[in-house]
Amino acid sequence: MSDETLTPIPDQVAAFRVAVLAKLAYSVGKDAEHATEHDWFEAVALATRDYMVDFWLDDERRTQRKKQKRVYYLSLEFLIGRLLFDSLSNLGLLDIARAALAEVDVDLDRIRTLEPDAALGNGGLGRLAACFMESMATLGVTAHGYGIRYEHGLFRQAIVDGWQQEQTETWLDFGNPWEFERPEVVYAVSFGGSVTSITDAQGHQRQIWQPAETVRAVAYDTPVVGWRGASVNALRLWRARATEELHLERFNAGDHLGAVAEVARAESISRVLYPADSTEAGQELRLRQEYFFVSASLKDLLRRHLSQHSTLLNLPQQAAIQLNDTHPSIAVAELMRLLVDEHELPWDKAWELTVNTLSYTNHTLLPEALESWPVSLMERLLPRHMQIIYLINAHHIDALRAQGLHDFDLLRSVSLIEEGNGRRVRMGNLAFLGSHSINGVSALHTQLMRETVFTDLHRLYPQRINNKTNGITFRRWLHQANPALTQLLREHLGDGVLDSPEETLPQLEPFADKAAFRKRFIEQRRQSKVALAALVQERLNITLNPDALFDVQVKRIHEYKRQLLNLLHTVALYQAIRAEHTTEWAPRVKIFAGKAAASYHQAKLIIKLANDVARMVNNDPTVRGLLKVVFLPNYNVSLAESIIPAADLSEQISTAGMEASGTSNMKFALNGALTIGTLDGANVEMSERIGLENMFIFGLTAQQVNVRKRANDYNSEAAIAASPRLAEVLLALRSGVFSPDDPARYVGLVDELTWNDRFLVCADFDAYWDAQRQVENLWRQHQRWWRAAVLNTARTGWFSSDRTIREYATDIWHALE
Ligand SMILES: *Cc1c(COP(=O)(O)O)cnc(C)c1O
C-alpha cells in the first residue's frame, strides 16, 4: 500500500527495525536475544504509537489554529478489538513492519495474536462506536471519544459441559502499550449529599450542591489513526480513583481494612463493564458509571472550549456532543448544572446551548432496554440533577399548556417522569428533549421510533427525528479481516477500492459474470474456510469439510435474534437427512458463536441447546458427513475477523421490527456471504441495494408482526399443528432426545414456544425452512451462487461507516467544511 502521506525515510524497513529495537531496549528493558514474544509485541506497538503521535500533535495544532469544530462522541462502550494491524495498516506500515521484523526472525502475524482484545463493549452498539472513531479519523473530523477505561472488559466465555461459564477478562494484565496516562488531566466527580438555596451578593437565587462523596476521574488517551494517516483523534477513557489513596487516620487507628474500603468503593466505578446487552441493568453502580464518565467528559470539553474561546455562548458552533444511546443521557442535566450553577448562565440561555449542542442516537425499541431510574435513587445519588430534571419537565409541560395542549394522556406520555408504581425518570425522554437531533440507526428502525416509543414527542417536535443507517469500517472488516479478497479487488479495480469503496466497488459488478474472476473469488473463500476449519479443529477437535456450505450465525445470544429458530431448523434438517434418503442434501456446517448476559437464563439455555445438538449430530454416523454443528466459544472482534471471511451464508433472522440495524449483516455481505434474513433493521436497505434475488428474504414483516401482536390472535399451537416438521422437532426436544442426561431440560422451552411464542419463532418456521431449501438450490447451481456472492460484495459499498459519519457530520454536527 502506498505511503505517500508519510515523511519519506530512505530505508523505511531499516528505520522501523531500529525503532522497534530501541523500544525493546529502552522501554521494555530486554535485548533481542532474551525477548519473549510478548516483549516483541510491546516493542512493536510502542514503535507504531510513535508514528501516530507526530500526526496527532500536528492535528491538534491545526484544529486550534483553524478553530475547527470538535465532535465529542460519548459512549459507555467501545468494542475495539486488537489495534496493532489497524494502526500499522492505516499508517501504511504493515508490509514495512512485517519485513523489518523478519530481519530479526520475528513473525509479525504471530505477534499480532498476542494482543488481547480491548472488549470494552457488549456487541453492536460498542462496535459501532469503535468503527465510528476510525471513520472520523479517516474523514478528518476532529473528534474525541469519551468512555470508561474498564479494568475488566466483557467476560470471557468458557463452555463447560455445554453451558456458558463467565470468567473474568483481564486485558490490562500486561499493561496497555497504546494508551497515554494523563495524571494531570483529572476531574472531581461527586455524588450524594444535599442542595441548599442561597441568595448571592447580586440578589440571585443560587443552588449549592454539597456532595457527600467525591471520586477522581483520571484520563487515559488512546490515539486513533485514520486510513492513510489522514488524521489522528483521541479516545479518552476515564479511570476512577479515590480522592485519598488511604484513609490515614483510620489506618493509624488500626482499622486497616476500613482504611482502604473507601478506595475500593470509589475505584469500583471503572472496575467492570456491565455485561447486560439490551436489557436494563437497574443497578446503582450503573448510574454511578454513567454519571462519572459524563461529568468528567463535560468538564473536560468545557475546559478545552474556554481555553480556546473566551465565552461559552458559542459552544454549539464549536462543539457537537453525540450521545450513544441513553447511557450518557444524564449529560442533559449535567450540562445544565455546569452552565447554570458553575458558569452562572441564565436558565433559558443554558437550555438553548444545551439543546443546540447535544444530539442523541437511539439504539433499541425493546421496552426492557429503555433506561429509567427510580426518582428516589436519583434524589439520593444526584440531588441537584433531580431538581434540574424536575425544572426541565415543568418548563416543558408549561410550554405545552401555553400552546393549548391540555390532553392529559399526551402530557403524561411526554413527561420526563413516569408516574405509577414508584416514580421513575425516563432517560429516553430526557435525551430527546435535551437534543436538537434524535436519530435511529436504520430506515425501518427510525420509522418505528416515530410510530412507537416517541410518537407523541415526535408529534411535538417533527423536525428532530432523523435516520443515520449504521455502517462498518472497511479497513477492519475487509482489509484486515480478509487480505486475500482485498488483494483480489485491488488487482481488478485498482487502489481506488481502498480509498473510495463506495464509488469503486460497483465497478466489480461486471466481474460477477466472468468465470475467471469467480474462480479467484471462490479460491479466496476456500482459503478462509480452510483457515477457519483449522481453528475449529484446534479449539474443538471437530473436523470440518471446507467444501461444505458454511452457514453462520454469530452475535449476542438473545431471544429476539432467534438463534432458536436456527437451531430448530438444524434439528429438522438432521431429522430429514436421516429419514429422507430420496432428497439430495448439500453438505452443510452450522456455525454459532455469541455470549449471553450472565443473568439471562433463557439465552444460556439456548447455548446449551446448541451444544447438545452439536454433540448429537456430530457423533451420529447416519448423518454421513452432511451436517456438522459447531459452537465456537468466546465470540469477540478477533474471532469475528476469522469467521466472517469464511462464511457462505449469513443468518440475520431476528423477529421483524426488533433488530434496530445490525452490523454483522453488513460485514458478511461485504465479504461475499449471502444473507438469509427477515425484513428487519438494515436488512431492508441491504435488500434494496443488493437485490432480493441475491438474498434469501423470508418471514413476517414488521407490520405483520405488529398486527399479530395487537390483534392478540397469534396462536403458535395452530402454527405447530399446521407444520408436521416443526411438530416433530418440538416433540424430539420435549422428549429429551437431545438431553438424555436430563430429559426434561427443554420441556420449559418447548412450552414457551407453544404457549407464549413472543418472538414468533413458530410463525416463521415454515417460511424459514423453505428459504433454506432455496439456499440449497442455489448452492447447487454453483456459478449462480458465486455470481450472487460477487454482487453482494459489489453492492455493499454504501454500508461503509465513512458514509454514515459523513451524514452525521453534515446533517447533525455541521463539522465538515
Ligand atoms: C459486529 C459485531 C457485533 C454486532 O453483530 P450483530 O449481528 O449486528 O448483532 C457484535 N459483536 C461483535 C464482536 C461484532 O464484531
Side-chain angles (χ1 to χ4, degrees), residues 68-272:
Q68 270 164 348
K69 187 165 185 177
R70 294 175 191 268
V71 171
Y72 296 102
Y73 197 82
L74 270 60
S75 180
L76 201 54
E77 303 191 5
F78 288 91
L79 186 50
I80 299 166
R82 292 176 177 147
L83 279 176
L84 182 60
F85 270 36
D86 218 35
S87 310
L88 283 174
S89 168
N90 280 4
L91 290 164
L93 288 172
L94 194 53
D95 295 333
I96 291 165
R98 194 178 272 119
L101 289 174
E103 289 179 7
V104 288
D105 272 338
V106 174
D107 179 359
L108 179 68
D109 296 282
R110 163 103 212 105
I111 292 298
R112 172 194 204 181
T113 64
L114 300 180
E115 180 175 2
D117 268 46
L120 311 184
N122 275 288
L125 174 148
R127 184 52 234 172
L128 185 76
C131 283
F132 278 7
M133 286 304 295
E134 201 267 359
S135 275
M136 289 190 286
T138 294
L139 294 179
V141 173
T142 303
H144 305 253
Y146 277 122
I148 295 179
R149 181 180 176 276
Y150 301 105
E151 198 175 317
H152 303 291
L154 184 58
F155 66 85
R156 218 159 31 136
Q157 178 194 55
I159 301 295
V160 178
D161 194 23
W163 295 98
Q164 166 175 297
Q165 208 176 68
E166 302 89 32
Q167 301 174 345
T168 310
E169 188 282 337
T170 56
W171 70 300
L172 292 173
D173 268 7
F174 287 89
N176 175 4
W178 300 111
E179 70 186 8
F180 289 93
E181 184 182 353
R182 307 284 193 204
E184 78 286 5
V185 182
V186 56
Y187 296 92
V189 177
S190 301
F191 299 94
S194 57
V195 182
T196 47
S197 193
I198 60 152
T199 309
D200 68 13
Q202 286 77 43
H204 294 133
Q205 193 80 12
R206 298 194 47 203
Q207 310 303 319
I208 308 293
W209 179 21
Q210 283 152 328
E213 183 191 350
T214 296
V215 302
R216 292 181 304 148
V218 181
Y220 286 71
D221 289 344
T222 300
V224 178
V225 61
W227 173 237
R228 292 203 197 278
S231 70
V232 178
N233 287 324
L235 172 59
R236 175 159 283 184
L237 301 178
W238 301 103
R239 177 182 182 192
R241 306 302 309 263
T243 38
E244 283 176 74
E245 287 304 323
L246 187 80
H247 208 288
L248 210 54
E249 230 168 87
R250 288 171 80 171
F251 191 83
N252 289 338
D255 180 10
H256 298 161
L257 284 180
V260 293
E262 275 175 44
V263 176
R265 178 174 160 79
E267 301 190 351
S268 68
I269 292 175
S270 58
R271 190 82 72 210
V272 58

Side-chain angles (χ1 to χ4, degrees), residues 523-674:
E523 281 164 9
Q524 170 275 308
R525 176 74 53 78
R526 195 167 192 289
Q527 262 181 41
S528 301
K529 289 166 79 174
V530 167
L532 181 61
L535 186 148
V536 169
Q537 185 79 57
E538 182 198 312
R539 297 196 185 167
L540 299 172
N541 201 22
I542 297 173
T543 307
L544 301 185
N545 166 15
D547 295 315
L549 188 159
F550 279 22
D551 171 349
V552 182
Q553 187 171 22
V554 291
K555 48 182 78 241
R556 283 300 287 249
I557 310 292
H558 212 294
E559 286 166 284
Y560 83 81
K561 290 179 183 279
R562 297 201 295 191
Q563 281 92 356
L564 193 50
L565 178 58
N566 191 349
L567 285 166
L568 298 184
H569 170 252
T570 306
V571 171
L573 189 58
Y574 169 59
Q575 292 173 336
I577 285 172
R578 299 202 312 166
E580 299 171 28
H581 291 288
T582 46
T583 311
E584 257 188 74
W585 304 100
R588 193 191 279 246
V589 180
K590 287 266 188 187
I591 297 170
F592 296 88
K595 295 176 183 174
S599 57
Y600 191 172
H601 297 293
Q602 198 73 350
K604 291 173 104 170
L605 187 62
I606 291 170
I607 292 176
K608 175 62 173 164
L609 177 61
N611 284 293
D612 275 345
V613 171
R615 187 175 30 83
M616 192 82 169
V617 170
N618 298 344
N619 292 304
D620 185 341
T622 64
V623 170
R624 315 184 301 285
L626 292 173
L627 183 62
K628 282 272 165 77
V629 182
V630 296
F631 186 95
L632 272 163
N634 202 35
Y635 183 55
N636 61 14
V637 172
S638 293
L639 189 57
E641 289 172 38
S642 300
I643 294 175
I644 289 167
D648 297 309
L649 186 65
S650 157
E651 299 269 355
Q652 307 297 340
I653 58 177
S654 50
T655 313
M658 303 195 88
E659 186 74 271
S661 162
T663 47
S664 80
N665 44 3
M666 304 167 189
K667 300 168 194 167
F668 281 105
L670 178 63
N671 283 276
L674 271 55

Side-chain angles (χ1 to χ4, degrees), residues 284-391:
E284 177 172 337
L285 179 58
R286 171 80 165 201
L287 180 56
R288 285 164 67 90
Q289 288 186 330
E290 295 181 354
Y291 178 64
F292 165 77
F293 101 95
V294 163
S295 177
S297 305
L298 292 180
K299 285 172 184 160
D300 192 42
L301 70 89
L302 289 184
R303 175 201 52 77
R304 186 179 297 109
H305 182 90
L306 284 174
S307 75
Q308 287 178 52
H309 312 276
S310 50
T311 169
L312 286 172
L313 296 179
N314 64 346
L315 187 68
Q317 286 76 50
Q318 290 296 322
I321 303 174
Q322 188 71 39
L323 310 177
N324 194 25
D325 213 333
T326 53
H327 312 148
S329 56
I330 192 68
V332 175
E334 174 69 354
L335 187 53
M336 284 300 287
R337 186 186 72 82
L338 292 170
L339 295 177
V340 172
D341 293 0
E342 308 218 332
H343 296 278
E344 302 187 17
L345 289 176
W347 178 276
D348 290 343
K349 191 70 204 171
W351 183 244
E352 178 196 320
L353 295 178
T354 296
V355 172
N356 289 335
T357 305
L358 296 179
S359 46
Y360 152 58
T361 304
N362 173 278
H363 279 274
T364 172
L365 307 172
L366 301 182
E368 68 268 30
L370 287 174
E371 281 187 305
S372 70
W373 297 107
V375 166
S376 56
L377 173 62
M378 288 282 283
E379 263 168 350
R380 181 160 53 77
L381 209 60
L382 300 169
R384 176 58 181 144
H385 298 78
M386 196 58 237
Q387 285 185 348
I388 290 172
I389 289 168
Y390 275 137
L391 270 175

Side-chain angles (χ1 to χ4, degrees), residues 40 274 424 428 539 545 605 673 755:
W40 282 109
Y274 263 90
R424 302 178 76 93
R539 297 196 185 167
N545 166 15
L605 187 62
W755 307 113

